[in-house]
Amino acid sequence: MNCIAVVRNSASGRGRTAAAWDAFREECDAIGLPIHHVATTAPGSAEGQARELAGEFSVVAAAGGDGTLSEVANGLLGTKASLGLVPLGTGNDFARALGIGTDVRLAAQTLAYGDPFDCDVCRWTLADGTTRIALNVCGSGFDARVADRINRGIRGLAGTPAYLAAVFLELMSHRPAQFEVLADGVPQSAQAMLCSIANSQSYGGGMKVAPKASLEDGLLDLVLVRAVGKFRFLTQFPKVFSGAHLDLPEVHFQTVRQVRISSEPPTPVLADGEVVGMTPVVYQVVPKALSVLRPATSA
């Protein structure tokens, strides 16, 4: 069995994460899967580490959350290596999309026996020319501000409870912005809470912001939530966990290949759980850009 390279987020090292890592290593040993493990050395280092490993290994896996996964994916773009993952984060939303979820033993089996497929990615470009890819969900507005709160820490909370607390805290002070959207050349304007661009279905630990999204359709899903009152937003928010929010009159949904988002005032831009800049931003789907491993159909 070929050796697999694993880039592990060195900040993920205590509590449940450490136990999950140990369970992953135990499963690798049980199925005879050799792994070459390297730890990240600094924020952002996983990209360069992955690119270097791609020259030696046919599979490079990201062990961490969606942010670590995004770094490794950017490092593998344009190489011949396939992307694998070991879900050690709090949300693990891309792992959910692949059918792995939080099952680290299944993750090990997928690295050994999984099926590679050509996965679409979302390329985002800021006004200063910064450009990278995202695998999961990007967004501007309320959701990006919520993510920023989470990344700064919610005392005593983690995972979905932290996200819900951040939603409530942000809602108390949030003001809608005027969004200008140019979707496949067609302009639209709306005062809105947020505008999400999704390659995959969920973020925030299972919130299905784009329940119809596919990793293989050559399209991105645009979800625009128009401005509503705080009470209306709070009472309807739980529908995002089932994807039923798409039926609400204040929610606009469409599929796009390219979209430019600007807003007044400028709003934060979210990409795979990280705030990366401010609007304006351009998103473009890159079909079949990255080989990704998912569980074998017989698994």
Side-chain angles (χ1 to χ4, degrees):
M1 192 176 294
N2 292 333
C3 185
I4 301 298
V6 179
V7 181
R8 184 188 179 193
N9 182 353
S10 56
S12 300
R14 293 185 291 272
R16 183 203 64 79
T17 298
W21 174 252
D22 289 343
F24 166 74
R25 294 297 300 265
E26 289 173 3
E27 185 65 18
C28 289
D29 291 341
I31 62 179
L33 175 66
I35 65 170
H36 174 76
H37 162 225
V38 299
T40 58
T41 57
S45 69
E47 181 175 346
Q49 290 170 300
R51 186 176 297 113
E52 182 175 350
L53 290 166
E56 184 178 353
F57 296 89
S58 60
V59 175
V60 180
D66 287 335
T68 304
L69 180 66
S70 183
E71 287 186 27
V72 172
N74 274 274
L76 297 185
L77 191 67
T79 74
K80 295 181 179 180
S82 293
L83 171 68
L85 74 160
V86 184
L88 300 181
T90 55
N92 301 308
D93 285 282
F94 193 74
R96 294 169 191 266
L98 295 182
I100 296 173
T102 58
D103 189 341
V104 292
R105 296 188 183 276
L106 177 57
Q109 294 163 17
T110 300
L111 293 179
Y113 312 116
D115 295 328
F117 76 101
D118 293 330
C119 183
D120 299 341
V121 302
C122 173
R123 180 175 294 282
W124 53 265
T125 304
L126 300 176
D128 65 2
T130 301
T131 183
R132 291 170 60 80
I133 64 165
L135 288 173
N136 208 49
V137 179
C138 299
S140 302
F142 182 82
D143 51 356
R145 294 190 183 279
V146 167
D148 185 51
R149 284 183 179 269
I150 294 171
N151 293 342
R152 286 187 279 114
I154 304 292
R155 182 183 293 271
L157 294 175
T160 301
Y163 199 97
L164 294 176
V167 165
F168 179 79
L169 291 171
E170 179 59 31
L171 188 62
M172 295 303 98
S173 60
H174 187 77
R175 296 290 183 272
Q178 184 66 32
F179 281 84
E180 303 296 331
V181 179
L182 185 64
D184 288 337
V186 179
Q188 54 184 294
S189 177
Q191 191 176 44
M193 299 288 287
L194 62 89
C195 184
S196 292
I197 306 296
N199 187 48
S200 185
Q201 294 183 356
S202 70
Y203 60 3
M207 292 187 295
K208 298 180 180 178
V209 65
K212 299 180 181 181
S214 166
L215 297 172
E216 301 175 83
D217 63 355
L219 297 167
L220 301 172
D221 286 25
L222 185 155
V223 180
L224 180 76
V225 180
R226 297 185 182 90
V228 294
K230 289 181 171 59
F231 180 77
R232 170 72 175 174
F233 185 89
L234 197 60
T235 56
Q236 299 303 307
F237 176 77
K239 292 183 177 180
V240 75
F241 287 96
S242 65
H245 63 290
L246 291 190
D247 295 329
L248 297 173
E250 55 264 46
V251 176
H252 169 76
F253 164 78
Q254 71 180 99
T255 56
V256 298
R257 288 182 172 82
Q258 179 172 305
V259 58
R260 183 184 190 275
I261 308 292
S262 60
S263 65
E264 184 56 46
T267 63
V269 173
L270 174 74
D272 284 347
E274 302 293 332
V275 176
V276 297
M278 303 290 285
T279 53
V281 58
V282 174
Y283 302 103
Q284 182 176 12
V285 67
V286 186
K288 303 183 183 302
L290 194 65
S291 174
V292 177
L293 286 180
R294 59 186 168 194
T297 53
S298 58

